[in-house]
Structure formats: structure tokens, C-alpha cells
Amino acid sequence: MSRGAGRVWVADHHPDRLRVAEEMGATPINPAEQHPVEVVKETTLGMGADNGCECVGYQAHDPQGREDAGGPLNTLIDAVRFTGSISAVGVFVPHDPGAAEMQGQMAAEGKVPTGGSRLCSTRTAEAGADPRTGPGHGPTMGT
């Protein structure tokens, strides 16, 4: 894969995008057919991906077609190992006029409910430390 990645997974609902991802060497995941976290965790012996990027932002939808702006980011948090890196390049607008009916006040204000406590609890561990066993017992990061 490009830039030295050993494995790349792409989760998307659009078959044409998944086809292109596969042509580029990535493993395609259709969330309507497979749960992305389960696929990544199974492939990485339960550890999760080293890095991840959320590229959707607003207008993201769950497998049933309902708008769910925080869903992809929460999925990414669960799929990346606790010492990994997460990026978000999706477009999050300051105000979504339809969000009040769809997702509540937070979304109407351009905020995405992401389960922040889950993000903080899994991302504040000392680099290389497994929060279950303490410093010095975590995985070695590499490509």
C-alpha cells in the first residue's frame, strides 16, 4: 500500500467506492454486511488498527440509512488500538438545519456526539502502555 501501510481497510456503503478501494489494495468493508470493528479486530488479533481516518463528517448514515454524524467516528475509535492515531477530515458544519429533528440539539449546533468518555479513557494511556497491565506491557507499534 501507499505510504508504507501494511494493511488498509475502507468502510463504505457505496459499492463503487469499495471496488476502487479494493483495486488500490485495501480491504473493503460494507457496514451493512460486516461490522468494521469486528473485521479489523479479527485481522489484528484483537489489537485494532495502528491509525485511522474518518472522512465523512455530517451526512454520515448508519447501515439502515438514518443520518448519524457521530457513528463513523465512534466506529473508528473502537477499531483503532489505544496507542494508535485518529484523524478526522470530514466536514462538520457549524449548523445543520435538519439536525434538530434528526439527532437533537448537539447536532443542530454543529457538534457531534462521539462518546468522548470512551475516546479519553482509551487514548490517555502512556504511549506503549496497555491500560489493562500497566506501563511497558503494551504492543510495539510499527508498520
Side-chain angles (χ1 to χ4, degrees), residues 61-142:
H61 289 78
D62 66 15
Q64 292 73 38
R66 296 180 299 254
E67 187 174 325
D68 183 11
L73 188 55
N74 284 320
T75 298
L76 184 66
I77 290 168
D78 291 340
V80 173
R81 62 184 68 203
F82 67 91
T83 57
S85 298
I86 294 175
S87 299
V89 297
V91 177
F92 294 94
V93 296
H95 178 73
D96 183 354
E101 303 85 48
M102 298 293 289
Q103 296 183 347
Q105 190 59 35
M106 283 186 72
E109 294 172 3
K111 298 175 183 173
V112 178
T114 61
S117 62
R118 193 170 64 220
L119 175 65
C120 293
S121 67
T122 59
R123 299 288 181 243
T124 56
E126 176 184 332
D130 185 330
R132 297 164 295 185
T133 58
H137 299 288
T140 301
M141 299 298 291

Side-chain angles (χ1 to χ4, degrees), residues 4-5 7 21 31 33-34 41-42 53 69 72-73 75 101 104 106 115:
R7 291 180 287 207
E33 299 169 3
Q34 301 174 287
K41 293 279 185 149
E42 182 178 306
C53 187
L73 188 55
T75 298
E101 303 85 48
M106 283 186 72

Side-chain angles (χ1 to χ4, degrees), residues 21-80:
E22 187 170 29
E23 289 171 2
M24 295 177 71
T27 300
I29 303 170
N30 184 334
E33 299 169 3
Q34 301 174 287
H35 196 284
V37 175
E38 292 174 7
V39 173
V40 172
K41 293 279 185 149
E42 182 178 306
T43 308
T44 61
L45 303 174
M47 294 301 297
D50 290 337
N51 304 292
C53 187
E54 192 277 336
C55 304
V56 179
Y58 265 106
Q59 305 305 316
H61 289 78
D62 66 15
Q64 292 73 38
R66 296 180 299 254
E67 187 174 325
D68 183 11
L73 188 55
N74 284 320
T75 298
L76 184 66
I77 290 168
D78 291 340
V80 173

